Amino acid sequence: MTEKSWIEEKYKDIEYNLKTIREEIAKAAALSGRSEKDIDFMAVTKTVDEMFINHAIDCGITLIGENKVQEMLRKKPNLHLDGVRKNLIGHLQSNKASQIVGEVDMIESVDSLKIAREISKQALKKGIVQDVLVEVNIGREESKTGIMPECVEDLLGQMGECTGLRVCGLMAIPPICDNTTELCKFFENMYNMYVDIGSKKLDNVYMNVLSMGMSGDFSEAIRSGANHIRVGSKIFGPRIY
């Protein structure tokens, strides 16, 4: 197979995958009493070549997510980003905050007051307000980042003083589960937390986004209340490192 025919085949795969995913989103949204228009569908572009990201954008993707600051900044000039939002979804170290604040529409991985204050500080320097999500370690896994569930409300209360950022909601990645019932319990716990915090009208906290669900479990996440999903390998195929 020539390189040209391989690229054309990859484009067709992306088109088919996006069509299939959108059908699954619509079905899951309907089961939760919503429309597919209520679900923010992010294409996770970690390790994906710019030509394939651009093809997904040409096929209607309007939200992309990158895990690493340097990868986002390297790819950004080569992407067709008119009308496309860009989020950082990976863990952010405080020494990288100055590089990424203002370069993305949202940082989805805030899990400490230290990083929240640094994001706010850098945003104020640039004269902007940076949208963020708070990442919750819903499965209490030592191997994952995110704040423990019982500490979320205290962190949000302190983040109310960070005038350079705006908390738009919560993000979580549940543990690998043996069955759908167990998985959905984690999603439901996140949804209940999201609704409960939203009802408290905390300063500078707007519970508009519940980000959960990836390639293998986005349908379950949507049925459990997610309105923002992150799909990578199901669009682009297995990652090449």
Side-chain angles (χ1 to χ4, degrees), residues 34-81:
R34 293 175 292 168
S35 159
E36 67 270 22
K37 294 177 183 176
D38 298 321
I39 312 301
D40 233 355
F41 171 23
M42 171 192 286
V44 176
T45 55
K46 178 182 178 181
T47 77
V48 178
D49 191 280
E50 288 97 316
M51 76 171 85
F52 300 124
I53 301 171
N54 283 330
H55 190 67
I57 290 169
D58 293 343
C59 292
I61 285 293
T62 59
L63 173 61
I64 63 170
E66 275 290 347
N67 280 61
K68 294 183 177 179
V69 169
Q70 292 310 123
E71 192 170 355
M72 172 66 83
L73 297 177
R74 176 179 60 78
K75 290 177 177 177
K76 196 176 173 186
N78 304 316
L79 298 178
H80 304 160
L81 292 176

Side-chain angles (χ1 to χ4, degrees), residues 73-192:
L73 297 177
R74 176 179 60 78
K75 290 177 177 177
K76 196 176 173 186
N78 304 316
L79 298 178
H80 304 160
L81 292 176
D82 284 350
V84 176
R85 288 170 293 143
K86 310 157 294 297
N87 289 10
L88 182 74
I89 58 176
H91 184 68
L92 177 62
Q93 297 172 314
S94 56
N95 63 354
K96 297 281 182 70
S98 62
Q99 298 173 46
I100 200 67
V101 167
E103 295 291 332
V104 291
D105 294 275
M106 183 179 285
I107 297 169
E108 296 199 12
S109 50
V110 175
D111 62 357
S112 70
L113 186 59
K114 178 184 177 183
I115 191 63
R117 283 175 170 163
E118 187 61 26
I119 290 169
S120 179
K121 174 184 169 184
Q122 298 301 331
L124 290 171
K125 279 185 183 179
K126 297 180 182 185
I128 63 168
V129 175
Q130 178 69 64
D131 285 345
V132 303
L133 302 181
V134 166
E135 181 180 359
V136 183
N137 189 338
I138 193 63
R140 303 174 181 277
E141 296 174 276
E142 290 184 8
S143 61
K144 284 184 181 172
T145 54
I147 187 166
M148 292 299 166
E150 66 273 14
C151 301
V152 172
E153 198 168 326
D154 282 346
L155 174 61
L156 289 171
Q158 293 172 303
M159 286 174 68
E161 301 170 6
C162 298
T163 55
L165 59 76
R166 175 170 44 234
V167 180
C168 298
L170 305 176
M171 184 269 265
I173 303 171
I176 295 170
C177 296
D178 293 331
N179 57 69
T180 302
T181 302
E182 185 183 358
L183 172 67
C184 287
K185 191 65 180 174
F186 286 109
F187 285 145
E188 288 160 11
N189 288 344
M190 276 302 304
Y191 178 73
N192 291 336

Side-chain angles (χ1 to χ4, degrees), residues 181-207:
T181 302
E182 185 183 358
L183 172 67
C184 287
K185 191 65 180 174
F186 286 109
F187 285 145
E188 288 160 11
N189 288 344
M190 276 302 304
Y191 178 73
N192 291 336
M193 182 189 303
Y194 169 77
V195 171
D196 180 56
I197 291 170
S199 71
K200 294 179 178 177
K201 310 293 184 187
L202 301 174
D203 287 348
N204 200 25
V205 175
Y206 307 87
M207 286 289 121

Side-chain angles (χ1 to χ4, degrees), residues 207-221:
M207 286 289 121
N208 300 322
V209 178
L210 179 56
S211 176
M212 58 185 192
M214 300 188 293
S215 287
D217 58 14
F218 68 83
S219 290
E220 290 83 0

